[in-house]
Amino acid sequence: MTTTTQRLLDLAAAAPARHGEDLLRLLREASTLYQHGLEELRRQMTDRLAGQSSTELAAAATGAGMPCDPGQDRGELVLLLSLLEWEMTPAAIAYAEMAEDAARRGVCLLPEV
């Protein structure tokens, strides 16, 4: 069974040789996997941070360079901290590089208007 990380790394490795609709299909799959990986980490972080107050979570996010709005609820703070951690993983880094390269080649998930 392939993990989310391994599949994202495989897609990122295959992307440079793909073009047009082929690249767009890879990018869509990678985006779905990116979101899945982030959600999986958010659930783990929710459990891991269960004993911390919202004030402590806000301080951790601010300390990591993500300023928080005092009105943010606990779920939003956990998501911010999850995103900070997720963006440092090999899977997320590979996806970001893949998406940037695809955009330079005119392929993007957001349609032009």
Side-chain angles (χ1 to χ4, degrees), residues 3-85:
T3 65
T4 299
T5 296
Q6 186 58 53
R7 182 64 183 149
L8 269 168
L9 293 173
D10 290 346
L11 291 171
R18 302 294 175 88
H19 304 281
E21 286 299 316
D22 255 0
L23 179 56
L24 185 57
R25 276 190 290 280
L26 287 183
L27 197 54
R28 283 184 181 129
E29 182 180 350
S31 176
T32 298
L33 290 168
Y34 178 95
Q35 296 302 320
H36 175 77
L38 175 57
E39 177 55 25
E40 198 173 278
L41 180 60
R42 187 202 58 79
R43 283 192 299 263
Q44 293 170 5
M45 295 278 288
T46 297
D47 293 341
R48 193 167 80 206
L49 299 173
Q52 295 188 3
S53 70
S54 293
T55 303
E56 290 170 318
L57 296 177
T62 300
M66 280 287 243
C68 299
D69 182 333
Q72 287 182 291
D73 67 24
R74 180 178 186 76
E76 292 171 327
L77 294 169
V78 169
L79 181 57
L80 276 176
L81 291 168
S82 300
L83 183 60
L84 283 167
E85 188 169 313

